[in-house]
Amino acid sequence: MIFISVNTPTKLTGVGAGKASDLKWVEASARQVASYSKGHTIVVEKSTLPVRTAEVIKSILKSVSELTPEEESNKTFDVLSNPEFLAEGSAVNDLLYPDRVLIGGESKSAISQLSQIYENWVPREKILETNIWSSELAKLTANAFLAQRISSINSIGAICEATGADVREVARAIGTDSRIGSKFLNSGPGFGGSCFKKDILNLVYLSEHFGLPEVANFWEEVVKLNDWHQRRIPRLIAKKLFGTLSGKKIGILGFAFKANTNDTRESAAIQICKDLIEEGANLLIHDPKVSTIQICKDLKCDPLNIEKEKLNSNEFVHGSWKPVNNKYDVFNNSDAVLLLTEWEEYKKIKWDLAFQKLRKPAWVFDSRSILDSEEVNKAGINFWRFGNGLN
Ligand code: UGA
């Protein structure tokens, strides 16, 4: 049994650029399996793939094995789809205690052999068998639904801000409806990570490909709303800071796309920091796990320009942003601090100490709703939280 678990990034050029998945690694893997396998082989798609990729794998396996000399040609294959639902930061737990394991395929015997592996630790009733196309589509659909919930709650957050409602109260109120459920209703700076955007755009591409433009538009709106939401944050900050950010110092707490990972792929922090810099702000960026080099790559500045002694001085390098190792340094003479990643350690900040370091009037913007507004206000700092109409 061979698992294909390779990257399927979004194509950057050619047909489907910006939306379709680049399957070159899947294809290369299938060719290798076809040439080196002997006897019967079960090939399992573990990577997230567009629907009907199994067909591509099957045809490669068939055509390459047909070239094998007749005396060695005892090769046969079954292809299964067994998508991965692990999330970063909780992957081992998700693997040990999955909500479900999905196995799609045609051959009952192949499905049963893969199922037996999982049955070593997963209850049988949690192992779902489907046809191969349903399994491939279910993976994209799961991520699309999760991302859609985040865009939905963030859109409601904007209405809350305009009307005096509080998105956290609305989320709690709807989350107790068992048909809706309470998970994935935390408003934030917009979803990030390597999968949500990529998988939705893949779905959009598939819908367009199959002549379903209304379906494509529906899912594309989830991504568009997320982009709009990220871009409105710098505008909101500018509004609170008397309409201009030029020359102002803003501290950034968190750069990873979520807590408990150093991954910054598609992190909301990237666009938000770029827009703040564009507005002329000088940023002090802290993240407990993301490296300075990574932030340099994401903000498109040359890491070679960073000299160690300058990083430790109070001067801004690049004129626009500077990494800091100590979270309290983001407050140094800053006009505002924006929390973007929900790291546990940010909940324990001593606001009296922060207040002493900030330039007054000082602001804290909490995009993740993890801080205690009363504590921040008590220290003398203005507080703004996403989706709170009473801000
Ligand atoms: C996601 C899925 O949750 C996994 O099931 C899937 O296997 C994985 O993608 C994948 O396809 O590889 P992951 O990207 O690790 O996992 O991250 P999530 O925990 O789903 O969070 C994604 C984004 O949504 C983050 O930016 C997070 O901050 C944001 N989010 C999440 C919210 O803004 N609010 C929420 O309530 C939940």
Side-chain angles (χ1 to χ4, degrees):
M1 191 176 296
I2 307 222
F3 289 79
I4 298 188
S5 314
V6 293
N7 252 355
T8 49
T10 304
K11 276 181 85 172
L12 296 176
T13 52
V15 179
K19 285 184 186 155
S21 286
D22 189 341
L23 294 182
K24 68 177 171 202
W25 307 118
V26 175
E27 195 183 317
S29 307
R31 286 184 194 280
Q32 249 181 328
V33 172
S35 37
Y36 293 108
S37 61
K38 291 192 176 114
H40 187 66
T41 306
I42 299 172
V43 178
V44 185
E45 301 174 345
K46 207 82 187 88
S47 306
T48 304
L49 298 165
V51 185
R52 302 204 81 89
T53 303
E55 220 160 65
V56 176
I57 296 178
K58 272 185 201 163
S59 71
I60 291 170
L61 293 172
K62 188 164 173 284
S63 55
V64 175
S65 53
E66 274 168 7
L67 298 175
T68 314
E70 216 173 297
E71 59 279 12
E72 294 171 31
S73 172
N74 57 350
K75 300 181 188 194
T76 51
F77 300 97
D78 277 312
V79 179
L80 298 179
S81 159
N82 174 220
E84 195 51 82
F85 296 103
L86 312 183
E88 282 185 34
S90 59
V92 172
N93 199 59
D94 296 345
L95 178 70
L96 292 176
Y97 309 103
D99 285 346
R100 76 320 205 175
V101 167
L102 196 52
I103 305 178
E106 285 160 2
S107 154
K108 287 277 164 227
S109 140
I111 292 175
S112 153
Q113 286 179 62
L114 179 55
S115 177
Q116 275 166 35
I117 296 178
Y118 284 107
E119 282 168 42
N120 285 305
W121 75 94
V122 179
R124 184 67 192 84
E125 64 276 12
K126 287 195 169 184
I127 303 176
L128 311 181
E129 294 174 18
T130 67
N131 81 33
I132 199 154
W133 321 124
S134 304
S135 171
E136 286 180 342
L137 185 58
K139 167 67 196 185
L140 295 182
T141 308
N143 275 355
F145 266 59
L146 291 171
Q148 168 267 316
R149 271 175 83 91
I150 299 166
S151 278
S152 296
I153 201 68
N154 286 338
S155 74
I156 297 300
I159 300 182
C160 289
E161 286 166 21
T163 56
D166 183 340
V167 72
R168 296 189 313 169
E169 291 179 355
V170 175
R172 202 172 67 227
I174 63 168
T176 48
D177 185 325
S178 58
R179 293 167 303 174
I180 296 175
S182 61
K183 292 186 180 160
F184 261 73
L185 283 181
N186 294 323
S187 57
F191 60 77
S194 63
C195 304
F196 281 4
K197 187 172 174 184
K198 170 175 85 88
D199 290 354
I200 293 181
L201 292 179
N202 209 325
L203 209 53
V204 169
Y205 182 70
L206 275 174
S207 311
E208 283 167 353
H209 176 79
F210 289 111
L212 301 165
E214 287 78 7
V215 179
N217 291 343
F218 173 77
W219 286 110
E220 199 161 21
E221 280 307 317
V222 173
V223 175
K224 283 190 187 161
L225 195 288
N226 198 50
D227 292 343
W228 167 81
H229 181 62
Q230 290 176 6
R231 301 204 87 142
R232 81 190 184 96
I233 298 172
R235 291 202 298 270
L236 278 162
I237 297 178
K239 208 167 143 196
K240 294 284 185 198
L241 299 189
F242 312 117
T244 178
L245 297 180
S246 182
K248 291 188 178 155
K249 249 192 202 180
I250 297 179
I252 303 291
L253 287 171
F255 201 82
F257 82 97
K258 64 173 186 178
N260 304 320
T261 175
N262 64 354
D263 194 347
T264 63
R265 283 175 292 174
E266 300 294 338
S267 175
I270 299 172
Q271 191 58 53
I272 292 170
C273 287
K274 279 185 180 170
D275 285 356
L276 290 170
I277 291 167
E278 179 89 11
E279 288 293 325
N282 292 319
L283 308 183
L284 293 165
I285 303 179
H286 175 268
D287 189 287
K289 289 278 183 274
V290 177
S291 70
T292 297
I293 299 295
Q294 187 56 49
I295 301 175
C296 277
K297 281 189 193 153
D298 291 332
L299 296 182
K300 301 265 183 297
C301 72
D302 184 357
L304 296 176
N305 286 341
I306 295 185
E307 297 161 30
K308 274 221 167 87
E309 60 282 11
K310 278 198 184 160
L311 284 179
N312 295 329
S313 84
N314 284 329
E315 292 304 307
F316 265 95
V317 283
H318 331 297
S320 53
W321 73 276
K322 187 177 144 178
V324 295
N325 290 328
N326 183 330
K327 58 179 173 289
Y328 283 100
D329 287 346
V330 301
F331 297 96
N332 286 345
N333 212 21
S334 292
D335 296 274
V337 165
L338 167 63
L339 185 148
L340 288 175
T341 313
E342 71 283 24
W343 288 102
E344 205 51 37
E345 62 179 85
Y346 296 155
K347 293 183 191 166
K348 298 177 193 139
I349 286 173
K350 295 188 178 66
W351 295 104
D352 287 336
L353 181 58
F355 176 74
Q356 286 164 26
K357 293 166 168 266
L358 288 160
R359 194 163 85 139
K360 320 298 178 304
W363 279 92
V364 164
F365 296 87
D366 178 9
S367 76
R368 293 280 185 175
S369 299
I370 61 162
L371 303 177
D372 182 335
S373 58
E374 277 183 26
E375 271 182 36
V376 180
N377 280 148
K378 214 162 72 193
I381 306 170
N382 296 306
F383 183 75
W384 182 91
R385 190 172 56 214
F386 256 1
N388 185 357
L390 301 180
N391 276 319

